[in-house]
Amino acid sequence: MRIIVMFDLPVETKVDRRNYRLFRRYLLQSGFIMMQESIYCKLVLNQTAGNTVQNGVRMHKPPKGLVQMMSITEKQFGDIEYIVGDAHTEIINSTERYIEL
């Protein structure tokens, strides 16, 4: 399953910009990959691991702004339709549980 984090954070003051950088850095260090600007996703093994990841995001959320999370299955993630542009990612999109590289 995938955890998707979407956020809209203020960057008007120096403190706001610092909070934005710290939150984005946390996401990247936690293994999230940017899908598009302000939307990040992470592959997790099961719902228990997903809950742990979601709790970590909750603990590191900035004091201002909007942060939203959702969890979707690999099947749902694979069914994402790209209307404009190409899917440009290094993520292997497959519904198989085992992928040999």
Side-chain angles (χ1 to χ4, degrees), residues 3-101:
I3 304 296
I4 298 179
V5 175
M6 302 163 282
F7 57 91
D8 186 17
L9 303 177
V11 289
E12 297 168 355
T13 67
K14 187 175 182 177
V15 173
D16 289 342
R17 287 189 294 275
R18 180 178 183 275
N19 288 334
Y20 173 89
R21 282 192 315 271
L22 289 174
F23 183 68
R24 184 177 179 278
R25 186 179 308 146
Y26 168 77
L27 292 177
L28 294 173
Q29 289 175 346
S30 297
F32 281 86
I33 298 172
M34 186 170 72
M35 291 178 62
Q36 67 183 48
E37 193 172 333
S38 298
I39 300 178
Y40 290 74
C41 76
K42 180 176 181 170
L43 179 67
V44 294
L45 186 59
N46 54 34
Q47 186 62 47
T48 304
N51 290 340
T52 303
V53 169
Q54 288 176 327
N55 287 337
V57 171
R58 285 183 193 104
M59 288 176 39
H60 289 87
K61 69 174 177 50
K64 293 182 184 177
L66 175 66
V67 177
Q68 299 170 310
M69 287 187 291
M70 69 176 163
S71 58
I72 62 173
T73 65
E74 279 301 299
K75 175 79 172 124
Q76 291 167 328
F77 186 80
D79 288 341
I80 291 176
E81 180 180 354
Y82 296 93
I83 297 172
V84 177
D86 295 326
H88 204 55
T89 180
E90 295 177 10
I91 300 172
I92 298 172
N93 289 326
S94 173
T95 57
E96 296 180 26
R97 298 271 302 164
Y98 177 74
I99 301 173
E100 186 174 332
L101 300 175

